[in-house]
Amino acid sequence: MAEYMRLRQICLVAPQLAPVIADISAIMGLDVCYRDGNVAKYGLENALLPVDIILLEVVAPFQPGPGTAAGRFIEKTGGRGGYMAIFACEDPDARGARANAIGVRTANVITHAPYHGVQLHPRDCRAAFIEFNHTDGSDDVLGPYPPAGPDWQKSIRKDTTLALTEVEMQSPEPEGLAAHWGRIVGIPADGTVVKLPNAIFRFAKGDSEIMGGLTFKVADKAKVLEAAKARGCAVDGDQFQLCGVTFKLTA
C-alpha cells in the first residue's frame, strides 16, 4: 500500500463536555456526529463534530480530578492546550515502530476492527498526544471511520465553517519541536512548518509546549465572532478562546 499521512482528527479536552459542545455547535455551526461509548473505559465521555473531512473531538472526564489521563492533563496544564493530534496512515504499526526507533514510546494500541490505532506517549511526543490509525477500506477521505460513528459524513455542514486548515503548536524552541514532530510523522519540517496534504502544523514561540490554536476557514467571520461574543468567549481580532485553545478564523 502506498504511504500516506493526513490529519484525521483533533481532540480537545474539557472539564465538562456539554457546555463546550453547545458552544462549538452554536458558534461554529457544527453538528455532533457521534458519541463513542468505547472511551468510557478511560473514564471519559466524548463527542465528535466533522469539519469537512477532519473530525473535531472533545473529551471530558466523568468526574473532576486526576483520576484519568485527561483529568491529569487538565490539572497539569490548567486547561490550556489541545490534547491529541490523530493522523490517518497506511500502517500505524510501522509508523509507530519508526517513532519508537527515535525514542518515542508507544502508550496505547487500540483495535476495534476494521479500525486500528497506535497512540504515542505524550511526554515523548511533546506538546500533545500523537496517534496513527488506519481503517480497512477507508483510504477514501469520506470513507468509513468507526471512531466517528457509522454515518459521520451525513453530519458535515458547510454553511458556517468550511474547513480546519491549520494547527498551531507552541514551544520555547519552535524549530526544534517542528523538527521532532516532522520526524515522528515522516514529513520533514520546513523551518517551523510541517505541511500535510490536508492541513498545516505551524510551530510558534510560546512559554510552554502545547497545542495552542486551530485555524478554521469560515463563510462569514463577523457572524462567527458575534456568535462567540454572545456565548461569552474572549474575542480578540479574528480569534477567540474556547476549550483551552485559540480558534482563529480566515475567510
Side-chain angles (χ1 to χ4, degrees), residues 80 170-173 204-210:
R80 270 186 83 227
Q170 296 178 8
S171 171
E173 300 176 330
K205 188 85 171 177
D207 294 336
S208 57
E209 294 197 328
I210 62 170

Side-chain angles (χ1 to χ4, degrees), residues 42 86-87 89 91-93 96 106-120 130-135 145 147:
Y42 304 113
I86 298 171
F87 301 91
C89 65
D91 188 340
D93 292 319
T106 297
N108 195 22
V109 177
I110 307 166
T111 300
H112 297 296
Y115 159 91
H116 179 66
V118 174
Q119 295 179 345
L120 303 176
I130 289 174
E131 176 187 310
F132 299 129
N133 69 41
H134 179 80
T135 300
Y145 185 57

Side-chain angles (χ1 to χ4, degrees), residues 16-32:
Q16 295 179 305
L17 186 64
V20 170
I21 294 301
D23 285 344
I24 293 174
S25 297
I27 296 166
M28 304 300 290
L30 301 172
D31 287 345
V32 172

